[in-house]
Amino acid sequence: MTDSKYFTTTKKGEIFELKAELNSDKKEKKKEAVKKVIASMTVGKDVSALFPDVVNCMQTDNLELKKLVYLYLMNYAKSQPDMAIMAVNTFVKDCEDPNPLIRALAVRTMGCIRVDKITEYLCEPLRKCLKDEDPYVRKTAAVCVAKLHDINAQLVEDQGFLDTLKDLISDSNPMVVANAVAALSEIAESHPSSNLLDLNPQSINKLLTALNECTEWGQIFILDCLANYMPKDDREAQSICERVTPRLSHANSAVVLSAVKVLMKFMEMLSKDLDYYATLLKKLAPPLVTLLSAEPELQYVALRNINLIVQKRPEILKHEMKVFFVKYNDPIYVKLEKLDIMIRLASQANIAQVLAELKEYATEVDVDFVRKAVRAIGRCAIKVEQSAERCVSTLLDLIQTKVNYVVQEAIVVIKDIFRKYPNKYESVIATLCENLDSLDEPEARAAMIWIVGEYAERIDNADELLESFLEGFHDESTQVQLQLLTAIVKLFLKKPTETQELVQQVLSLATQDSDNPDLRDRGYIYWRLLSTDPVAAKEVVLAEKPLISEETDLIEPTLLDELICYIGTLASVYHKPPNAFVEGGRGVVHKSLPPRTASSESTESPETAPAGAPAGDQPDVIPAQGDLLGDLLNLDLGPPVSGPPLAASSVQMGAVDLLGGGLDSLMGDESEGIGDSNFGAPSASVAAAPAPARLGAPISSGLSDLFDLTSGVGTLSGSYVAPKAVWLPAMKAKGLEISGTFTRQAGSISMDLQLTNKALQVMTDFAIQFNRNSFGLAPAAPLQVHVPLSPNQTVEISLPLNTVGSVLKMEPLNNLQVAVKNNIDVFYFSTLYPLHVLFVEDGKMDRQMFLATWKDIANENEAQFQIRDCPLNTEAASNKLQSSNIFTVAKRNVEGQDMLYQSLKLTNGIWVLAELRIQPGNPSFTLSLKCRAPEVSQHVYQAYETILKN
């Protein structure tokens, strides 16, 4: 009879009987009793009363009985910590048992008993097991260290277990190595700042040797560890790739994906000209294709990972289109994923094949799949220009089928094709108009209305068609109403005489009869435009539209690079970074791909300094302004992480380059294409910053007499603070009004906010987040509103800021996009911060340095401005500027004109040099600015004007 009999008993009062049996002298009876106890425990009965009796059974040589007792112990140790101490002696004894299985069992159970009182007693047995002669015991002990670290990290560090664990990486047994790597990775993950896995070429070599001999899970641990290593050059990267490549033919799909992750990461460092690079691309395709012959669930995971790989390196699978063709018995989730990858791989070479396949899919029975297939045809037309005509005729064939949902999807995608190729396929409009009556979905109706409005001059009865939609205006969805309003205004501007009544009707419906604020706002704007300036209305409404981009659903490049580092994990299935779905105290480390080698041209991650270069020497690149709204909407509005103190912030960008090379590479020249998401290698222009040797060189007599007078140093009176302005009006934020200004005092930047509640309900749970910006401004502390904000109440808050946030070049440079959250909603606004709050206190340059730098900066980087209506004299102007950290280095008088030579430094290490000419009695000053980053000059001039005039 099997062990199932233990689960069928329903006797009452059996605890007493079990107690007697557990204390029996007969071994078999004891074993039976323990099995019954475990069965009761498994089905949820409380058998904790038998704790001392079960623990007594530990003293046995029978391995099966010992396992059962240990199982009981793990379950009840937490609720009976005092009793559990009784078992400690047996653990210590078992750790010295001649049988390695018992030694390993004891150490494994010790790791699972999460009781603080017992933990310290386990250190000695664990230390012995970590040095045990049997590899099975050592590998079990390695994992036990990670478990112990989770219970009491300090104890593990004090006892030196981490060093022992590091030594195990050099163990002769591959499984011990794999478990040591797994344990260290686990510990490092919960303590991102600790440099536990300090990998070097020697330890990497040992890991690669162990890789060939350990089990599949051991291989995954080692491969994941290798993926976190940064090779010192392309030769080392190639050698690692060569030794990892054989893993691609492993039977376990997890091993294959982990190997792909390592190769994808290290390929970044290989030059595309290498023969090995091409070989590697060829070797990556077959294992990915093989993954698609597994069961559907595994296929789906593989497809989600392939989707990322294809976005990063489409060349790997460009010849494998056929494996992504849909099979009739694929589940819908696999079909939709395959369809997505087909579109990504579509090119001129295979488009005929793809279109024939998509047309076939459009006649399937699964409605969702058919819709996606029709959309896919449109996406192919937009992606491969040569195929557009064929795609349009395929879509027209599908419209002729008169299947309602097919027609509707086709109309939606044809609208996008018109946007991409204006004045090319408008001959099909007549066919579209025939199907007007069958449209019942908002998106399709909106698309059709857009087409009628956009091409009203080519459609004779455009007014009738739009009028037919107008009849049920209030029953339409917002999307359709907005589109209808715009289309009728377009029609009016193209045929004003015939459609005057129609436009008045729609404006009246949108403004007077609608309660949707978006619709009303748009209606009023059109109404005012048409009534005040029809020419301006024409320019606004009938403006030329930008062409839509080819791939609108690509993952943003920096996120894609991060997801490539997570291939084979949940992040690669969700297509989200781990911090978007992993909760809890664990610090999720942001990973990024290594920088490209100089000879290759693919994306370089701006965060990573090339291997071997000291971090301080790296110029900071301001990334291009991407989808900022998307950025803001993805903000995690938790309390911001406070950065290091402000004093350290100037090290953030270009700290080594005294004279602001921080910004010449920052802004990049035209050739580097700031607007492009592909960053080139950091520009060599940083090296052109004057070297210290040159600064000490003798100065030519032309300017040497400039500095023979004492510099005008005034007294400090505090930096200028602009009055508060309304940044977010109450009507845009459901009753929350936000006013504010920026201040700088004693080296600290603050955002002084005034929050007013003009709503009828109490506001609580405030939080604030900034989008990435040009100078890395970020909150240094959470937004503290200590009491709920009642209706009509106002509260003043000073929010400390630092400059260690993410950097992204904005337009204009001092634009700051902010998200504020409360219990009602999240609200977005943008404001311009005055640049002088970023002028640091150590911005006074030495005279010799000033002179050498002024000469060194190219003349084309000099900008001249006029400051008018400024009644100050030279001394007052100098003092006023100094209070805002613009320092006068020297002063002289030339032909009755006072010349002030001034320097200032921004928080990111950029220096700006200035010459201010003041003619006594003349309220107009002339300001000349020189800077290696001319982009900031305009904003520095505005700061001068603001400070001097207020």
Side-chain angles (χ1 to χ4, degrees):
M1 194 172 169
T2 64
D3 285 350
S4 60
K5 64 184 179 194
Y6 300 114
F7 292 92
T8 53
T9 172
T10 53
K11 281 192 302 184
K12 294 265 167 99
E14 60 186 331
I15 295 280
F16 185 74
E17 285 177 30
L18 286 170
K19 199 178 184 77
E21 286 177 27
L22 286 168
N23 294 314
S24 162
D25 296 335
K26 292 181 180 165
K27 281 186 178 176
E28 272 312 305
K29 217 164 188 186
K30 254 188 187 177
K31 191 164 146 189
E32 291 291 304
V34 173
K35 282 188 178 180
K36 286 177 189 170
V37 170
I38 296 293
S40 300
M41 180 180 89
T42 309
V43 294
K45 287 183 189 169
D46 181 15
V47 283
S48 57
L50 297 168
F51 200 94
D53 306 288
V54 177
V55 169
N56 284 338
C57 299
M58 278 174 84
Q59 315 285 348
T60 174
D61 299 332
N62 185 318
L63 189 60
E64 188 185 3
L65 181 55
K66 214 177 240 320
K67 279 184 178 176
L68 291 168
V69 174
Y70 278 170
L71 197 61
Y72 177 89
L73 205 58
M74 279 189 252
N75 199 41
Y76 283 117
K78 206 163 181 88
S79 59
Q80 306 257 356
D82 298 331
M83 292 287 218
I85 290 184
M86 293 162 50
V88 168
N89 282 336
T90 316
F91 278 135
V92 175
K93 233 160 96 185
D94 281 357
C95 284
E96 292 175 3
D97 195 278
N99 183 345
L101 290 177
I102 289 183
R103 295 202 298 274
L105 182 64
V107 82
R108 178 182 293 130
T109 311
M110 277 160 36
C112 294
I113 295 179
R114 304 177 63 83
V115 177
D116 281 342
K117 283 184 182 175
I118 298 183
T119 314
E120 54 204 69
Y121 296 110
L122 306 182
C123 293
E124 216 36 60
L126 179 58
R127 186 175 283 108
K128 284 181 185 163
C129 290
L130 281 166
K131 300 222 164 88
D132 199 283
E133 66 207 19
D134 193 285
Y136 181 71
V137 181
R138 291 200 300 277
K139 88 178 179 77
T140 312
V143 176
C144 185
V145 173
K147 290 179 177 173
L148 199 59
H149 189 274
D150 201 30
I151 304 165
N152 189 337
Q154 197 54 50
L155 182 73
V156 171
E157 285 162 32
D158 296 345
Q159 293 283 342
F161 288 147
L162 294 180
D163 295 328
T164 317
L165 211 48
K166 286 180 189 171
D167 295 341
L168 288 183
I169 289 184
S170 312
D171 199 279
S172 56
N173 184 290
M175 269 321 297
V176 178
V177 175
N179 278 21
V181 166
L184 282 169
S185 303
E186 181 75 18
I187 295 169
E189 216 167 272
S190 55
H191 292 69
S193 53
S194 62
N195 191 16
L196 286 177
L197 272 165
D198 186 14
L199 298 173
N200 52 43
Q202 291 71 36
S203 57
I204 288 293
N205 196 25
K206 287 171 187 160
L207 292 184
L208 287 165
T209 308
L211 187 62
N212 299 321
E213 297 166 39
C214 54
T215 66
E216 49 200 28
W217 292 111
Q219 291 182 30
I220 292 166
F221 291 137
I222 290 176
L223 287 167
D224 286 350
C225 177
L226 286 172
N228 294 329
Y229 175 62
M230 183 70 72
K232 61 178 188 295
D233 54 26
D234 53 347
R235 285 180 60 187
E236 190 185 357
Q238 181 174 336
S239 123
I240 294 172
C241 288
E242 283 167 355
R243 294 177 69 179
V244 167
T245 310
R247 300 298 110 217
L248 292 173
S249 51
H250 201 284
N252 185 319
S253 51
V255 176
V256 174
L257 283 176
S258 292
V260 168
K261 168 168 63 184
V262 175
L263 297 173
M264 285 292 289
K265 205 168 171 188
F266 291 173
M267 274 171 83
E268 286 292 308
M269 298 186 69
L270 302 179
S271 163
K272 287 189 173 180
D273 312 331
L274 283 177
D275 293 341
Y276 180 69
Y277 182 86
T279 315
L280 199 52
L281 284 180
K282 282 186 196 143
K283 282 184 179 170
L284 274 168
L288 292 172
V289 169
T290 308
L291 290 177
L292 298 182
S293 52
E295 50 268 36
E297 292 80 7
L298 279 179
Q299 274 189 57
Y300 178 71
V301 172
L303 286 164
R304 292 294 281 173
N305 281 279
I306 288 169
N307 200 326
L308 295 173
I309 293 165
V310 165
Q311 287 186 53
K312 184 72 186 165
R313 299 199 183 281
E315 62 270 30
I316 292 176
L317 289 161
K318 65 180 177 190
H319 301 305
E320 305 291 344
M321 176 64 88
K322 278 194 170 156
V323 297
F324 299 107
F325 285 176
V326 170
K327 297 190 181 82
Y328 75 95
N329 58 349
D330 279 340
I332 182 69
Y333 55 88
V334 171
K335 285 180 175 176
L336 296 177
E337 231 14 77
K338 282 185 172 178
L339 205 50
D340 208 28
I341 294 169
M342 278 169 65
I343 300 160
R344 296 202 193 290
L345 291 175
S347 64
Q348 207 177 332
N350 57 24
I351 194 73
Q353 219 179 0
V354 172
L355 274 180
E357 193 73 13
L358 291 175
K359 193 173 179 184
E360 200 64 41
Y361 300 162
T363 58
E364 288 260 349
V365 288
D366 191 316
V367 176
D368 282 344
F369 182 52
V370 172
R371 286 174 178 280
K372 189 96 182 216
V374 176
R375 291 251 165 148
I377 296 171
R379 279 174 64 190
C380 287
I382 289 164
K383 188 176 179 197
V384 186
E385 190 168 344
Q386 296 79 357
S387 74
E389 202 156 324
R390 191 181 284 163
C391 291
V392 172
S393 66
T394 307
L395 288 168
L396 286 176
D397 292 348
L398 291 172
I399 288 174
Q400 299 306 340
T401 62
K402 300 289 182 195
V403 177
N404 189 294
Y405 55 87
V406 175
V407 172
Q408 309 214 50
E409 286 296 330
I411 285 175
V412 172
V413 296
I414 286 175
K415 179 201 81 171
D416 289 341
I417 294 172
F418 285 170
R419 285 284 310 274
K420 176 74 176 171
Y421 309 110
N423 305 321
K424 213 164 176 187
Y425 301 110
E426 281 74 12
S427 53
V428 307
I429 291 175
T431 316
L432 303 183
C433 291
E434 289 166 18
N435 294 281
L436 209 87
D437 300 335
S438 64
L439 306 181
D440 54 17
E441 289 169 17
E443 201 178 357
R445 288 172 79 82
M448 192 64 227
I449 291 167
W450 182 87
I451 292 169
V452 173
E454 189 66 16
Y455 300 103
E457 68 277 17
R458 302 175 186 218
I459 304 170
D460 298 335
N461 61 337
D463 50 346
E464 289 169 28
L465 295 176
L466 292 176
E467 202 168 352
S468 67
F469 283 105
L470 207 55
E471 286 158 14
F473 186 78
H474 289 304
D475 302 328
E476 299 285 5
S477 71
T478 307
Q479 183 183 8
V480 178
Q481 290 177 332
L482 287 165
Q483 204 55 267
L484 193 52
L485 172 61
T486 304
I488 291 176
V489 171
K490 282 181 187 171
L491 176 66
F492 172 70
L493 291 168
K494 290 174 181 178
K495 303 179 177 176
T497 48
E498 304 152 41
T499 53
Q500 204 156 351
E501 243 175 76
L502 190 62
V503 81
Q504 280 176 340
Q505 193 183 345
V506 77
L507 287 173
S508 159
L509 283 169
T511 54
Q512 288 160 23
D513 304 348
S514 168
D515 54 3
N516 181 315
D518 291 341
L519 187 62
R520 284 211 313 272
D521 284 356
R522 192 183 289 192
Y524 280 126
I525 287 171
Y526 284 155
W527 199 318
R528 284 175 192 150
L529 266 174
L530 292 170
S531 55
T532 54
D533 191 350
V535 177
K538 215 163 192 170
E539 282 173 12
V540 171
V541 181
L542 302 180
E544 200 171 309
K545 286 157 201 63
L547 299 182
I548 58 174
S549 65
E550 290 174 15
E551 292 276 6
T552 48
D553 61 339
L554 284 177
I555 294 175
E556 192 261 325
T558 47
L559 174 59
L560 179 62
D561 285 354
E562 187 176 351
L563 292 177
I564 291 288
C565 302
Y566 287 109
I567 282 177
T569 67
L570 262 183
S572 67
V573 179
Y574 287 151
H575 288 188
K576 288 178 181 175
N579 59 338
F581 59 87
V582 176
E583 289 184 357
R586 296 227 154 171
V588 178
V589 189
H590 279 288
K591 298 185 180 181
S592 58
L593 293 178
R596 297 290 294 165
T597 54
S599 56
S600 58
E601 301 135 21
S602 186
T603 316
E604 172 178 328
S605 168
E607 284 91 33
T608 343
D617 290 3
Q618 288 312 314
D620 240 49
V621 178
I622 289 189
Q625 187 166 358
D627 177 8
L628 293 171
L629 185 62
D631 272 328
L632 265 177
L633 293 175
N634 288 329
L635 285 177
D636 171 17
L637 281 165
V641 181
S642 50
L646 270 161
S649 67
S650 56
V651 181
Q652 267 313 90
M653 295 161 74
V656 173
D657 175 5
L658 280 167
L659 302 168
L663 208 76
D664 27 325
S665 63
L666 251 177
M667 305 300 189
D669 56 0
E670 294 320 307
S671 62
E672 276 181 46
I674 289 231
D676 197 329
S677 57
N678 291 346
F679 298 107
S683 74
S685 62
V686 181
R694 219 158 94 205
L695 293 176
I699 295 159
S700 65
S701 58
L703 281 170
S704 54
D705 61 335
L706 268 177
F707 300 100
D708 55 356
L709 291 167
T710 55
S711 61
V713 177
T715 52
L716 280 178
S717 61
S719 178
Y720 165 69
V721 180
K724 285 193 177 82
V726 175
W727 287 341
L728 183 66
M731 63 183 290
K732 286 193 176 171
K734 299 184 181 175
L736 173 66
E737 182 176 281
I738 301 180
S739 309
T741 185
F742 293 88
T743 63
R744 183 184 186 92
Q745 284 178 331
S748 302
I749 308 171
S750 303
M751 182 193 250
D752 290 350
L753 295 168
Q754 181 176 300
L755 309 182
T756 304
N757 181 356
K758 295 189 176 179
L760 298 175
Q761 59 178 316
V762 173
M763 294 181 180
T764 56
D765 305 332
F766 284 90
I768 191 164
Q769 193 91 347
F770 294 177
N771 204 351
R772 297 183 290 171
N773 54 78
S774 308
F775 292 91
L777 273 179
L783 182 61
Q784 302 280 4
V785 181
H786 294 296
V787 288
L789 194 59
S790 307
N792 296 318
Q793 190 186 350
T794 297
V795 64
E796 306 257 346
I797 298 156
S798 184
L799 178 72
L801 307 181
N802 59 33
T803 52
V804 295
S806 299
V807 175
L808 174 76
K809 186 184 177 188
M810 299 294 284
E811 195 53 57
L813 208 60
N814 58 338
N815 188 12
L816 179 66
Q817 296 184 326
V818 183
V820 171
K821 179 188 86 111
N822 62 14
N823 58 323
I824 298 171
D825 205 346
V826 181
F827 309 107
Y828 305 97
F829 65 89
S830 63
T831 181
L832 301 177
Y833 48 90
L835 211 64
H836 69 262
V837 298
L838 303 175
F839 298 171
V840 295
E841 283 63 27
D842 59 348
K844 185 164 184 179
M845 196 181 265
D846 166 79
R847 293 181 182 195
Q848 302 289 75
M849 174 89 85
F850 183 98
L851 191 57
T853 310
W854 185 278
K855 287 160 124 188
D856 193 73
I857 296 174
N859 286 338
E860 54 265 29
N861 280 18
E862 184 172 351
Q864 204 166 70
F865 305 94
Q866 290 294 322
I867 300 172
R868 302 184 193 285
D869 306 323
C870 186
L872 298 174
N873 64 23
T874 309
E875 194 66 29
S878 175
N879 291 348
K880 204 163 200 185
L881 292 167
Q882 176 145 339
S883 67
S884 291
N885 295 338
I886 299 174
F887 298 95
T888 302
V889 177
K891 183 173 81 174
R892 69 172 188 155
N893 187 287
V894 180
E895 296 170 1
Q897 267 192 340
D898 286 332
M899 315 275 268
L900 294 181
Y901 295 93
Q902 296 177 316
S903 70
L904 63 96
K905 184 169 137 192
L906 292 165
T907 49
N908 57 1
I910 297 158
W911 286 92
V912 182
L913 310 188
E915 176 191 77
L916 187 63
R917 291 186 210 170
I918 302 173
Q919 180 88 42
N922 183 350
S924 287
F925 297 178
T926 303
L927 176 68
S928 300
L929 296 175
K930 260 194 169 187
C931 176
R932 294 185 189 284
E935 286 88 341
V936 301
S937 296
Q938 177 67 33
H939 300 281
V940 172
Y941 152 66
Q942 284 165 4
Y944 261 87
E945 194 164 49
T946 306
I947 295 163
L948 289 171
K949 289 187 178 181
N950 289 289

